[in-house]
Amino acid sequence: MLIIPAIDIKNGKCVRLIQGDPDRETIYSSDPVAMALKFQELGAKLIHIVDLDGAFQGFPINRDIVVEISRSLSIPVEIGGGIRSHESVSYYLEAGIKRIILGTAVVNDGFKEYIEKYGQSIIIGVDARNSKVAINGWKKLSNFSALDLIKKLNYFGLNEIIYTDISTDGMLTGPNYDSIEKILTEVPNITLIASGGIATTMDIRRLRDISRPGLKGCIIGKAIYDGRIDLKEALALFDQRIAGV
């Protein structure tokens, strides 16, 4: 179970939102680079970054900070938020970031061309509210069901997704285990990283013990910042030697 700490950037600061609502914001640091270095020092093997301003405005806003984080670390990062064009994908790839998260772009413009062009550099973030895929910074629901989209992505060769249940995000109430297990049951070839709701190491253990294969790891944000989960201890509890990071 790969433990992935999250850094969400808004107005140049490290923040957390509740259910993606910009009006329910807590600022945890004015220095996202320092936060990333701290996570690396504690033993993280991968860091999840979201450009929240980019997600809301539709194009990367904090990309200079994201690239600075990447170049300051010896571990990889993955970046999502506002990446809705080939130019944005190419910018991050040329800056040396190997894991690019697409969400809205694959719903609006079609995912096949992105997968064909960029291959395994592309990770699709499937963000669901009431089983429907949310887009445009989670402000709008698409007509796609999350499960149907994941099946299509898998059919066209995508092997890995990040699945977020918006109703649990930032709520510290535990992940949506039923949805995660349903996806892994119906799309057995997919590799999934779970996001949203993780509050305790018991939540991580329960995810790890899901009976279906394919669960690669989990993204944790608010629980780390609030001190509910000690990142160093959590990293020590779970095997971090995951290939393909």
Side-chain angles (χ1 to χ4, degrees):
M1 174 65 68
L2 187 64
I3 309 298
I4 309 169
I7 294 178
D8 291 359
I9 304 173
K10 186 170 179 284
N11 297 322
K13 298 177 181 178
C14 183
V15 310
R16 297 301 296 172
L17 307 182
I18 294 177
Q19 296 181 333
D21 185 344
D23 295 325
R24 303 169 76 186
E25 170 191 310
T26 302
I27 298 172
Y28 287 99
S29 173
S30 59
D31 191 343
V33 177
M35 185 64 71
L37 287 167
K38 178 182 178 181
F39 288 156
Q40 176 178 265
E41 182 181 350
L42 291 172
K45 303 302 181 187
L46 172 67
I47 293 177
H48 176 82
I49 305 174
V50 178
D51 179 352
L52 288 174
D53 296 305
F56 294 136
Q57 297 189 41
F59 57 94
I61 300 295
N62 294 290
R63 67 183 194 176
D64 290 344
I65 297 174
V66 173
V67 171
E68 184 181 358
I69 291 172
S70 177
R71 290 176 176 171
S72 298
L73 302 177
S74 59
I75 60 173
V77 303
E78 57 188 25
I79 173 62
I83 305 173
R84 301 176 192 172
S85 69
H86 290 280
E87 186 276 332
S88 295
V89 174
S90 297
Y91 175 86
Y92 282 125
L93 290 175
E94 290 169 7
I97 297 173
K98 303 301 184 184
R99 291 171 62 87
I100 312 299
I101 304 165
L102 299 184
T104 298
V106 301
V107 175
N108 288 346
D109 301 326
F111 45 76
K112 186 178 179 181
E113 61 182 281
Y114 283 93
I115 296 171
E116 290 177 343
K117 185 170 184 178
Y118 305 109
Q120 297 307 308
S121 295
I122 295 297
I123 313 296
I124 304 300
V126 178
D127 306 320
R129 190 194 304 274
N130 299 325
S131 300
K132 293 290 187 180
V133 176
I135 58 175
N136 297 338
W138 296 358
K139 292 182 292 185
K140 179 181 177 183
L141 286 183
S142 73
N143 293 321
F144 287 86
S145 81
L147 184 58
D148 285 346
L149 178 60
I150 292 167
K151 287 179 178 179
K152 288 182 180 180
L153 292 167
N154 188 235
Y155 176 81
F156 283 108
L158 192 84
N159 296 320
E160 184 170 326
I161 64 162
I162 296 171
Y163 175 76
T164 302
D165 185 278
I166 296 170
S167 66
T168 67
D169 190 68
M171 298 301 290
L172 300 172
T173 54
N176 188 332
Y177 302 103
D178 291 342
S179 292
I180 292 167
E181 188 149 18
K182 183 177 178 65
I183 292 167
L184 293 172
T185 299
E186 298 205 20
V187 196
N189 296 326
I190 206 76
T191 297
L192 184 146
I193 294 174
S195 176
I198 296 171
T200 67
T201 54
M202 289 302 296
D203 291 330
I204 305 172
R205 290 182 190 277
R206 185 171 172 186
L207 282 172
R208 182 193 61 186
D209 294 340
I210 284 177
S211 60
R212 300 291 175 177
L215 186 62
K216 177 175 182 175
C218 60
I219 294 168
I220 309 176
K222 189 174 178 63
I224 294 174
Y225 293 103
D226 285 353
R228 296 169 184 259
I229 291 178
D230 183 300
L231 179 59
K232 188 173 184 178
E233 289 183 5
L235 292 167
L237 284 172
F238 300 93
D239 188 356
Q240 298 299 295
R241 294 171 295 173
I242 307 292
V245 172

